[in-house]
Amino acid sequence: MSKKIRIGIIGCGGIANGKHMPSLSKIDEAELVAFCDLEEEKARKAAQEFGTEDAKVYLDYKELLEDERVDVVHVCTPNHSHAEITIDSLEADKHVMCEKPMAKTAADARRMVEAAKRTGKKLTIGYQYRFRADSWHLHKLCERGDFGDIYYAKAHAVRRRAVPTWGVFLDEEKQGGGSLIDIGTHSLDMTLWMMNNYEPKAVLGTTYHKLGKKKDAANAWGSWDPEKFTVEDSAFGMITMKNGATISLETSWALNTLQTGEAMCTLCGTEGGADMMDGLRINGEDFGKLYTNEVQVDGKGVAFYDADEESDAEHEARLWIDAILNDKEPVVKPEQALVVTEILEAIYESAKSGKAVYFDEEEKDLDKSVKTNKILQ
């Protein structure tokens, strides 16, 4: 009989019900044995629907961490609590999957990485769009070197009108930001992963709170309250990497545009390129002729037959449990997620200051020197 990985869920809200618990319940080697939420009814409902017969319910996550049955914790709480709960869980000898973004601040994300190294427990972050069929295929092409040196990329996370109005999404104190930290984080993670480039040099960013001020606005989930809308509705960034590559990031919950799409990237390399704007498209040149190939990734191909495919969340859950059972590195490494958080923070910082943010101390000193010389001249 195969070993069962016993899981505790901390935070039984939307993302836990929409992603984590349904996908984990389909993994034979996983059992959901503990549920924690500040609202007891949410935890009890989750336990009844997804838990084992002897599943326990907690109101305090620290009590859940004392449950010796729990091997793994999934942190599905608002952003501001990610670091504290994750670090406490790691130090309680639990492996941890924390929902994206890794943390509200880069300092907190670094503490999480340090805790994972100190305890020797596995830590991963819930960037489930890496596990989508088109993303998985594109990453294989990147690993094989099909695009050569990828020196320019775009990270797309643009909605025309889809502002999440529930929970604490509009609360800057609890979330740390709006569309950038919510959905921009997915597209940035995907883009860095495809490029296998985690060494940023400098960031220049802007954020906007324009449409969020409107009353009775059109929105996929109903009009928002402008008084409670304290985060940005759109953000844009230019990221230069130490190897000379450039990434353009665009993200919005609300933007007057018809060109939408999220959790997507565009890649431009010396040997070819790719984009996800209309399915997965690969472009290049052969024998002096340009070509565009559309990759079929939906598993279909036979008339009247639909392949039985797992969702990206199920794919993510299966590989996460496999990493624990067989002592493998998780697909989403905490060090990678840390770089995503550092770049997001730099975009916010740049937007506030109106200046570029440098990651290398020598570059910072050079920038100060240039400014001083201009003043002296």
Side-chain angles (χ1 to χ4, degrees):
M1 184 175 180
S2 62
K3 174 178 169 57
K4 293 283 187 179
I5 297 297
R6 296 160 299 183
I7 300 165
I9 303 293
I10 299 178
C12 299
I15 195 65
N17 281 277
K19 170 190 165 184
H20 291 260
M21 296 187 295
S23 59
L24 288 167
S25 67
K26 294 184 179 181
I27 307 298
D28 291 338
E29 296 82 7
E31 290 183 336
L32 281 74
V33 300
F35 301 81
C36 178
D37 198 277
L38 295 175
E39 298 180 32
E40 184 176 356
E41 181 57 32
K42 286 185 177 180
R44 290 203 176 280
K45 183 176 181 296
Q48 291 170 4
E49 186 171 355
F50 298 103
T52 57
E53 290 185 2
D54 59 347
K56 293 186 178 181
V57 169
Y58 299 93
L59 297 180
D60 185 340
Y61 79 87
K62 291 186 178 181
E63 292 183 5
L64 181 149
L65 296 182
E66 293 175 359
D67 189 334
E68 294 182 354
R69 300 175 305 157
V70 176
D71 304 307
V72 179
V73 164
H74 280 225
V75 179
C76 306
T77 59
N79 300 346
H80 75 293
S81 63
H82 283 186
E84 179 183 5
I85 297 174
T86 295
I87 293 169
D88 285 347
S89 300
L90 291 167
E91 292 181 341
D93 203 33
K94 318 294 186 187
H95 302 293
V96 179
M97 171 178 277
C98 178
E99 245 311 308
K100 63 81 195 167
M102 187 172 191
K104 181 180 170 182
T105 68
D108 278 347
R110 280 190 283 273
R111 291 197 300 121
M112 293 164 71
V113 171
E114 290 166 1
K117 291 179 179 178
R118 183 173 64 251
T119 61
K121 307 306 289 186
K122 296 188 188 301
L123 170 62
T124 194
I125 308 301
Y127 285 116
Q128 74 268 13
Y129 293 117
R130 287 197 191 188
F131 302 86
R132 206 171 57 202
D134 57 344
S135 308
W136 201 253
H137 185 84
L138 180 57
H139 187 253
K140 288 180 179 178
L141 297 180
C142 291
E143 283 187 312
R144 195 170 66 183
D146 285 27
F147 308 113
D149 174 24
I150 302 173
Y151 58 90
Y152 180 62
K154 295 180 182 179
H156 310 278
V158 176
R159 298 175 182 174
R160 183 183 181 188
R161 290 291 190 285
V163 178
T165 54
W166 62 90
V168 296
F169 278 103
L170 304 183
D171 187 331
E172 183 175 14
E173 177 61 28
K174 288 184 171 60
Q175 289 296 92
S179 65
L180 178 61
I181 203 168
D182 179 40
I183 59 175
T185 189
H186 274 302
S187 60
L188 178 58
D189 170 72
M190 181 183 294
T191 304
L192 295 174
W193 185 52
M194 297 299 177
M195 299 173 76
N196 191 27
N197 192 340
Y198 290 92
E199 296 187 331
K201 177 182 178 182
V203 167
L204 184 64
T206 54
T207 61
Y208 295 98
H209 187 184
K210 300 285 189 180
L211 304 186
K213 299 176 182 179
K214 294 182 178 293
K215 294 182 178 179
D216 302 319
N219 188 48
W221 294 294
S223 298
W224 55 80
D225 182 349
E227 297 298 320
K228 296 180 180 179
F229 203 138
T230 62
V231 295
E232 82 281 354
D233 47 45
S234 61
F236 309 89
M238 186 180 78
I239 305 139
T240 55
M241 310 301 285
K242 288 183 180 179
N243 73 340
T246 301
I247 299 171
S248 174
L249 184 151
E250 54 180 12
T251 178
S252 70
W253 280 342
L255 191 69
N256 288 323
T257 180
L258 297 178
Q259 295 180 333
T260 60
E262 60 182 281
M264 296 179 177
C265 65
T266 296
L267 307 175
C268 304
T270 53
E271 302 301 321
D275 70 66
M276 299 168 148
M277 300 308 291
D278 186 19
L280 178 56
R281 303 183 300 184
I282 311 299
N283 68 81
E285 176 183 356
D286 263 339
F287 304 111
K289 303 294 182 181
L290 299 176
Y291 69 82
T292 304
N293 290 335
E294 296 183 10
V295 181
Q296 183 178 297
V297 295
D298 58 8
K300 299 179 180 179
V302 178
F304 312 115
Y305 172 78
D306 289 342
D308 184 16
E309 292 187 339
E310 63 183 1
S311 68
D312 48 325
E314 292 164 12
H315 188 190
E316 176 188 42
R318 176 170 57 81
L319 292 182
W320 167 232
I321 297 301
D322 179 65
I324 297 167
L325 283 171
N326 296 295
D327 194 21
K328 300 176 182 177
E329 274 197 308
V331 174
V332 181
K333 300 175 180 62
E335 294 84 0
Q336 296 172 336
L338 167 60
V339 175
V340 174
T341 298
E342 288 175 335
I343 292 174
L344 296 178
E345 185 171 89
I347 292 174
Y348 282 125
E349 183 181 339
S350 175
K352 288 179 181 178
S353 69
K355 302 174 183 177
V357 174
Y358 295 93
F359 287 79
D360 192 304
E361 291 299 326
E362 291 182 5
E363 292 291 340
K364 292 179 184 178
D365 293 340
L366 179 61
D367 184 52
K368 290 178 183 177
S369 175
V370 170
K371 290 176 182 176
T372 302
N373 289 334
K374 285 184 177 180
I375 292 173
L376 293 174
Q377 291 172 359

